[in-house]
Amino acid sequence: MQEIIELEERGWRALATGGDAGRIFYASVLREDAVMLFPGGLCIEGRERILESLGSQPWESYRIEDMRIIRLADGVATVVYKATAQRQGSPLYRALISSTYVREGGWKLVHHQQTPA
């Protein structure tokens, strides 16, 4: 299960790097039918739409706390945690986050949700 924690952390690092780092990382882990749910009722469905939506402004800083894994079945697990992050010129963002991964060869991200905290 440590692999899933590392994947989630790599995702944050990629989104904090800027450029195409986030798209490159998520292209390697998103399943074709992935769904992402964000505050404000934003639902993005499908690998390609998610990749297109990744913004170009990186996170300037982020902190991940209380990360833990919930094993749902063989080859299926959800990571849950609290994140605090900030982009340059934007207010602090706090959210409770869950990401569900399925092992299909490697781990694939199938569901991600952020709830304001």
Side-chain angles (χ1 to χ4, degrees), residues 53-65:
S53 75
L54 292 175
S56 59
Q57 186 180 17
W59 291 110
E60 186 174 69
S61 65
Y62 67 90
R63 185 175 68 240
I64 299 170
E65 300 176 90

Side-chain angles (χ1 to χ4, degrees), residues 1-5 8 66-81 96-103 107-114:
M1 296 292 113
Q2 184 62 30
E3 292 172 274
I4 295 171
I5 289 173
E8 199 74 5
D66 303 324
M67 191 176 274
R68 63 190 186 283
I69 297 288
I70 302 167
R71 188 177 177 151
L72 303 173
D74 285 342
V76 182
T78 297
V79 59
V80 295
Y81 57 97
L96 300 174
I97 298 177
S98 66
S99 295
T100 300
Y101 291 84
V102 177
R103 186 184 292 272
W107 288 104
K108 296 294 181 183
L109 179 60
V110 69
H111 180 265
H112 177 83
Q113 180 167 353
Q114 298 183 10

